Every structure is written in C-alpha cells, then in structure tokens.
Amino acid sequence: DTAARRRAGTEGIDHRIGRLWGMGEADLARDWTVAEMARVACMSTEHLRRLCQKHYRRSPLGHLTHLRLRRASTMLRATPEKLEEIAARVGYGSVYSFSTAFRRWAGMPPARFRRGDQ
C-alpha cells in the first residue's frame, strides 16, 4: 500500500526493501539482524547495505533504529504507556538503552519529549 510505503520511507524504492521495512515496522520488538533483513529482502547483506546507504544515508540497523524511535515518539505523545512498555514494544531490552538512543535521536530525553518541552 502506497501510504505504508511512504510512512516507511520506501516509496519509489525497490519493492523488496519496501517489503522488508513493512515487516520491520510490523514487528519492531523483534531482534532483527542484518542477515535476517537481507534474507527477508531476498538480497545479499552487502546489497542491502548499499541500498540503505543510497536511499536513507544510514545502515540497515541504523534505519531500523530510526523506525523504532519514530514509532516510540508517536507512542510517547499519543499514549500514557510507561517508558518500559514503549521501550519493549519498539525492541529495546532496557529503559536505559532506549532513553540513550532516544536522546541521541531526538535531542532530548523521552520524558521531556512526551511533555512537549523544547
């Protein structure tokens, strides 16, 4: 579906990448590896890496992290779920690692982002 591809950032990109990121967004809590992502996309790990660098300017795991944190940002603003629950739902084993990654990505900690502080 075009809207899903647009959300995943895959519109106009190889359909295999679109399928991969569609599956990735549907299962962000999964412990994805680059080899598994390449297998889902039916390409070599090196080809997947090249396509991700070309289209997203980040590695496959970097793009997965981006999708996870983007979903987390939506959940922080739209739900009252605890940070522990959000972290687990987007694939982080600890609140500490989630908070560190989120701060790096958003420029502020998750709790501050949730409050809407600038």
Side-chain angles (χ1 to χ4, degrees):
D1 147 270
T2 303
R5 287 194 310 273
R6 192 174 304 119
R7 277 192 314 276
T10 58
E11 189 175 35
I13 298 174
D14 187 316
H15 74 280
R16 297 174 298 173
I17 295 288
R19 183 177 65 234
L20 166 63
W21 296 127
M23 288 180 68
E25 280 199 306
D27 194 3
L28 290 171
R30 185 177 184 166
D31 189 18
W32 290 96
T33 65
V34 175
E36 186 177 17
M37 286 188 252
R39 200 170 33 258
V40 166
C42 300
M43 61 182 67
S44 71
T45 56
E46 182 56 25
H47 189 59
L48 175 61
R49 187 197 64 75
R50 278 193 306 269
L51 287 176
C52 286
Q53 284 298 100
K54 176 182 176 185
H55 294 292
Y56 307 115
R57 291 187 162 77
R58 52 186 161 249
S59 69
L61 288 176
H63 191 63
L64 178 63
T65 296
H66 172 78
L67 295 176
R68 285 175 165 159
L69 295 173
R70 190 175 68 190
R71 171 78 55 81
S73 71
T74 300
M75 293 172 71
L76 285 165
R77 292 268 169 93
T79 73
E81 288 187 46
K82 293 180 179 181
L83 290 183
E84 293 84 1
E85 296 167 347
I86 293 172
R89 288 186 50 190
V90 297
Y92 285 87
S94 78
V95 175
Y96 177 78
S97 61
F98 167 69
S99 293
T100 300
F102 192 89
R103 181 186 307 250
R104 196 175 313 121
W105 181 79
M108 66 180 71
R112 190 168 145 209
F113 182 88
R114 175 174 261 169
R115 288 191 309 265
D117 295 351
Q118 297 302 317

